[in-house]
Amino acid sequence: MKDGIPLEIDVVEASASKIGSVDFDNLIFGNIFTDHMMVCDYVNGEWQAPSIQPYGPIQLEPSAKVFHYGQAIFEGMKAFKDDEDQVWLFRPEANFERFNRSSKRLAIPEFPKDMFFEGLETLLNLDREWIKKGFGNSLYIRPFVIATEPGVSASPSKTYKFMIICSPAKAYYSGEVRVVFAEKFSRAADGGVGYAKAAGNYGAQFYPTNLAKEEGFQQIVWTDANTHEYLEEAGTMNIFFRVGNKLITAPTSDRILDGVTRKSVITLAEEFNIPVEVRRVKVQEIVEAAEKGELKEIFGAGTAATINPVKGFGHAGKKFELPEQEDSYASFFKSKLMAIQYNKTEDKFGWRYAVKER
């Protein structure tokens, strides 16, 4: 709706669905995409009418500014289906707000809320059969925007393309995850774009992450760029530490992404009287807690992974393994979050968003 008038979304359906060829029991995260995508262009100073089209390639000029100056941001969301075939989103307004914060930081025009939600719901209804029931099944939703203006002058683009593509998903990580605390490389610096979901943030971390993988680690927990003394966030997740029965996580800043799952974990911890401290976390504090046997858990929190336990970590050439916990906070928070996401329990926080059938 815009000014009380329904938005007109042009829908061109795929001639045939490819869903029959997909093995939903053996999905690789982010490799298979649904039949349709949402597309909207920014031209002449405004966002044009959005459309739904069959999923497929797009055409860009080699001089498009996204290739030369990296004007590109994205979001990660999920849709879930309950036992009654109702489709739900989890805190989508928080994702939308962060999408526009990221856009603003990259000098990209903010996207209208009515277009975002109307287009997203139209797309999800069209590809509703791709959302499978059952814990662990979901549809990963990737909204993004790229600069499309031809030209290599170092200035913001005058044209952009907003899109949403969707991918059926199971667990993001399979197998055990171990992390290394960064000592040399940095993800973000004060005054930078660390808080935005800018494409370049992720591209820049691939090289040091590859080095970490050669040492047997799956991810890096980034430290502050100035001193490397404080732990901040992991490559694709915000990070939590359980010392004794206390939960600790770093505060958000212009270096750290304001994760939706992170915020939800903090709220749940407070609801269930689990001590939680949001403060700067020293590397040495966590190393010493591990040496004393006081570090019970590390886990990551993010849209793709939900909650992902960390089995061990490395720092300064030393490796530490974490003990198995019968009363795992990671399992507790994951079960509470999934119960809300799949409509298995009361949603007292108002986090669920129903996608109405059309």
Side-chain angles (χ1 to χ4, degrees):
M1 301 286 290
K2 187 175 183 180
D3 299 325
I5 302 171
L7 280 173
E8 288 189 16
I9 298 181
D10 183 41
V11 176
V12 179
E13 294 193 32
S15 57
S17 176
K18 55 183 181 284
I19 193 170
S21 64
V22 177
D23 182 357
F24 283 89
D25 293 325
N26 294 286
L27 295 169
I28 299 173
F29 185 85
N31 276 24
I32 302 293
F33 295 91
T34 63
D35 294 319
H36 300 91
M37 60 187 185
M38 177 184 168
V39 181
C40 187
D41 291 306
Y42 184 87
V43 182
N44 296 326
E46 64 180 359
W47 289 103
Q48 307 300 302
S51 66
I52 306 294
Q53 306 173 10
Y55 178 89
I58 59 173
Q59 187 170 333
L60 293 174
E61 293 202 23
S63 57
K65 290 197 173 184
V66 65
F67 299 135
H68 303 274
Y69 302 111
Q71 266 189 296
I73 61 100
F74 67 93
E75 262 301 325
M77 308 166 64
K78 276 184 177 177
F80 308 89
K81 185 179 282 185
D82 68 19
D83 293 338
E84 305 302 319
D85 289 326
Q86 171 63 52
V87 173
W88 302 92
L89 297 170
F90 182 74
R91 305 189 73 174
E93 293 206 0
N95 291 101
F96 170 75
E97 290 164 2
R98 190 173 63 184
F99 187 88
N100 275 343
R101 284 200 301 273
S102 298
S103 292
K104 188 174 182 179
R105 183 61 181 84
L106 272 290
I108 296 169
E110 295 178 39
F111 199 75
K113 184 176 181 178
D114 55 332
M115 283 189 186
F116 185 93
F117 280 94
E118 190 74 16
L120 175 58
E121 291 195 55
T122 302
L123 176 61
L124 291 178
N125 271 291
L126 201 56
D127 285 342
R128 203 176 189 95
E129 292 305 309
W130 288 81
I131 311 171
K132 298 303 182 183
K133 290 187 284 192
F135 267 22
N137 295 320
S138 63
L139 187 72
Y140 184 76
I141 301 164
R142 173 54 65 89
F144 65 99
V145 62
I146 57 174
T148 55
E149 182 190 3
V152 294
S153 61
S155 59
S157 179
K158 293 184 178 64
T159 61
Y160 299 87
K161 186 177 290 291
F162 169 93
M163 301 182 69
I164 302 177
I165 56 177
C166 301
S167 177
K170 283 187 174 291
Y172 186 75
Y173 292 106
S174 57
E176 297 182 345
V177 173
R178 288 172 176 80
V179 299
V180 62
F181 296 167
E183 298 178 71
K184 176 183 177 183
F185 294 100
S186 300
R187 176 186 177 275
D190 292 337
V193 297
Y195 69 91
K197 284 190 77 73
N201 287 348
Y202 296 80
Q205 71 184 23
F206 291 160
Y207 172 66
T209 301
N210 282 345
L211 297 180
K213 287 178 178 178
E214 291 174 4
E215 299 297 321
F217 302 101
Q218 283 69 50
Q219 281 209 40
I220 296 173
V221 177
W222 299 101
T223 50
D224 68 293
N226 292 331
T227 67
H228 297 292
E229 291 181 7
Y230 293 92
L231 294 157
E232 299 198 328
E233 68 174 316
T236 59
M237 307 179 289
N238 294 110
I239 203 82
F240 286 84
F241 305 93
R242 177 185 175 185
V243 178
N245 288 321
K246 180 172 58 182
L247 200 61
I248 309 170
T249 193
T252 55
S253 66
D254 56 10
R255 301 182 309 278
I256 300 176
L257 193 70
D258 184 14
V260 176
T261 309
R262 171 192 175 276
K263 289 190 287 194
S264 304
V265 168
I266 293 169
T267 299
L268 287 171
E270 292 168 344
E271 173 70 16
F272 289 96
N273 297 314
I274 294 172
V276 57
E277 294 182 2
V278 180
R279 60 170 173 80
R280 299 188 80 187
V281 186
K282 278 198 168 187
V283 171
Q284 197 57 36
E285 173 187 358
I286 299 304
V287 170
E288 289 177 2
E291 290 173 340
K292 294 175 182 177
E294 296 172 353
L295 180 63
K296 304 300 184 184
E297 290 181 76
I298 301 175
F299 61 87
T303 297
T306 308
I307 302 292
N308 205 101
V310 172
K311 295 293 185 180
F313 73 93
H315 176 67
K318 294 182 180 179
K319 293 184 178 181
F320 300 85
E321 289 293 301
L322 297 179
E324 293 289 334
Q325 297 292 330
E326 289 185 8
D327 59 341
S328 162
Y329 280 5
S331 296
F332 175 81
F333 288 121
K334 186 170 185 176
S335 67
K336 293 297 181 185
L337 284 170
M338 292 179 73
I340 295 172
Q341 291 168 339
Y342 290 89
N343 194 27
K344 294 285 190 180
T345 191
E346 177 191 6
D347 176 20
K348 65 187 299 181
F349 308 106
W351 289 342
R352 275 196 302 262
Y353 178 102
V355 177
K356 296 180 176 64
E357 286 196 62
R358 305 182 180 193

